[in-house]
Amino acid sequence: MGIPPGWDTPRLVAVETTNHCNAKCVFCPNNALARDKGPMADDLFDKIIEECREFDLPAIEPFIQGDPFSDPKILPRLEQIRRRLPNTKLRLYTNGYGMTPKKTDAMLDLGIDHLYISVNTLDEKKYRDVMGIPLERTLRNMEYLTQPGIRERIANKITLRMTRLGDTTLQEQDDFLRYAKEKGVRSFIVGLFNYKGDINSALPVPSYGCEHVHRLDILASGRVTLCCMDQDGEHGWADANEKTVLELFNHPRAKQYRDFHASGRRKEIDPCGTCNNFWPGFKGLSPLQAVRTGAEYCAYIAKHRPSGRKAPGLANGDALVQLMTKHQAASAQKARERDDARA
């Protein structure tokens, strides 16, 4: 099947094989989802993967909300992706809690291009407060998968990720950076995203276009969501059960979002005008637009330092209290909405 004239292709397809998660991170909206939780149906997953074979897909991520290792079928699904899309980069995101030595052994030489593991802090108490799970098991899993002879076979690249809250101390960040270096893996510290205003974050909304409009995100139900920040698919369109991957990406609503971002009108379209995701989008821009976007991105990075080591802006514990308060309120509101809908 050829690509129709004038149609574009996504740089990335994200497939939510499950929206269940084994953690309860206070900076993540997963626990306040308005939609039902469950895995993606096998026939839908098969359909999406086969349709991704119809064009040159640069990357695929079996993840949006939830943790991949909360999906009991994640291992055969990873194998299926690698077998059916051998030239597509396979990236996997997890908190590492469910990535036990047994599962790690089953993934050896699978061909994962980049494995991202969210650790967030090495402080045992704060880790439990932030993520709702014990640190000890995660560290045991990290100890196993980063040992020489395993590390090189599990993925081409492994990156430990820390989400930096407003009160994350420099000592926490230094301990994290040192830990990653000792384990022989990459490290990345990033500020808190606001999920289009649903989560407290001090980072402002950028003026330049976002890279997320050039990806296709498919929720476990099959509904297309705007991006990973649109956790319930409120701003999505159409359904992968009814339309092909290319039809979904070239839907008029999807094109509208790309047009607004490319023309510098990000803040004029909802919900992008309230979302502080700061990764820039360059695809489809003219040389002049690309230079302007690059300059705006560099200015944003220099002024706000959204990634990397940064001194805390709040007293220790303040950011966590704020997040937990809003998180609990959002969870309660979503529960009421679900109860009302089912009444």
Side-chain angles (χ1 to χ4, degrees):
M1 175 181 175
I3 300 173
W7 277 26
D8 199 0
T9 58
R11 67 172 183 83
L12 163 70
V13 171
V15 186
E16 186 183 72
T17 71
T18 184
N19 55 5
H20 278 292
C21 190
N22 47 31
K24 298 183 183 297
C25 300
V26 295
F27 54 78
C28 176
N30 180 271
N31 297 306
L33 292 181
R35 54 195 172 102
D36 291 335
K37 291 189 176 183
M40 177 175 282
D42 290 342
D43 57 350
L44 176 57
F45 181 80
D46 295 345
K47 174 180 180 292
I48 292 168
I49 300 305
E50 291 309 301
E51 289 170 356
C52 287
R53 287 169 50 82
E54 298 174 357
F55 60 97
D56 184 16
L57 176 62
I60 188 168
E61 295 174 359
F63 164 82
I64 300 178
Q65 285 288 325
D67 188 274
F69 291 98
S70 292
D71 177 5
K73 297 183 178 179
I74 190 58
L75 293 178
R77 284 176 165 175
L78 291 173
E79 293 169 356
Q80 181 177 349
I81 290 172
R82 188 70 295 158
R83 184 176 67 256
R84 301 301 290 168
L85 297 167
N87 298 318
T88 298
K89 289 186 177 180
L90 171 56
R91 298 200 285 256
L92 188 64
Y93 292 77
T94 177
N95 56 42
Y97 185 77
M99 197 173 174
T100 61
K102 183 177 180 180
K103 290 182 178 178
T104 294
D105 286 344
M107 295 168 60
L108 294 178
D109 302 319
L110 181 62
I112 295 173
D113 291 277
H114 206 152
L115 172 64
Y116 294 86
I117 305 170
S118 295
V119 177
N120 299 316
T121 182
L122 293 172
D123 181 282
E124 186 174 354
K125 182 181 183 304
K126 188 170 184 179
Y127 184 90
R128 185 180 282 277
D129 289 343
V130 169
M131 300 185 67
I133 50 179
L135 176 62
E136 182 181 1
R137 173 171 161 172
T138 302
L139 292 184
R140 285 201 308 267
N141 292 343
M142 296 304 99
E143 187 71 28
Y144 185 79
L145 73 88
T146 59
Q147 63 181 310
I150 297 291
R151 182 177 61 219
E152 299 81 5
R153 296 174 61 192
I154 197 68
N156 293 334
K157 301 175 185 176
I158 300 175
T159 297
L160 299 188
R161 194 174 186 272
M162 167 185 268
T163 295
R164 187 189 64 226
L165 307 183
D167 58 3
T168 300
T169 66
L170 289 176
Q171 185 63 56
E172 280 184 86
Q173 296 172 63
D174 290 341
D175 289 345
F176 169 79
L177 294 171
R178 188 181 308 109
Y179 177 79
K181 185 176 182 180
E182 290 173 353
K183 298 302 176 186
V185 299
R186 301 175 179 217
S187 59
F188 180 58
I189 300 175
V190 65
L192 186 64
F193 293 116
N194 70 358
Y195 286 86
K196 64 189 187 315
D198 291 344
I199 299 294
N200 289 332
S201 171
L203 292 173
V205 177
S207 59
Y208 50 83
C210 175
E211 69 169 5
H212 280 31
V213 295
H214 294 287
R215 53 187 277 169
L216 181 67
D217 292 72
I218 305 173
L219 301 179
S221 66
R223 177 167 175 77
V224 167
T225 185
L226 172 59
C227 69
C228 59
M229 300 293 169
D230 182 25
Q231 64 271 14
D232 279 314
E234 297 174 73
H235 303 276
W237 55 87
D239 194 302
N241 289 286
E242 302 166 356
K243 295 184 179 296
T244 68
V245 165
L246 284 178
E247 287 173 336
L248 294 167
F249 189 70
N250 288 279
H251 189 280
R253 185 64 173 159
K255 288 185 175 182
Q256 182 184 36
Y257 275 105
R258 292 198 289 275
D259 289 344
F260 267 75
H261 280 249
S263 59
R265 295 179 292 159
R266 167 182 179 157
K267 292 188 177 182
E268 297 178 28
I269 190 166
D270 190 45
C272 305
T274 58
C275 179
N276 68 355
N277 184 70
F278 57 82
W279 301 119
F282 292 96
K283 186 177 180 181
L285 298 184
S286 68
L288 181 60
Q289 289 174 318
V291 169
R292 183 182 299 116
T293 295
E296 291 175 349
Y297 171 63
C298 289
Y300 186 96
I301 294 296
K303 182 176 182 180
H304 304 293
R305 295 177 62 194
S307 61
R309 185 179 183 271
K310 182 179 179 181
L314 296 173
N316 189 34
D318 285 357
L320 183 57
V321 169
Q322 290 178 9
L323 281 169
M324 291 179 73
T325 300
K326 186 163 186 178
H327 180 81
Q328 290 164 358
S331 296
Q333 177 62 30
K334 293 297 184 182
R336 287 193 294 271
E337 292 173 358
R338 284 195 293 267
D339 291 342
D340 290 343
R342 291 166 179 166

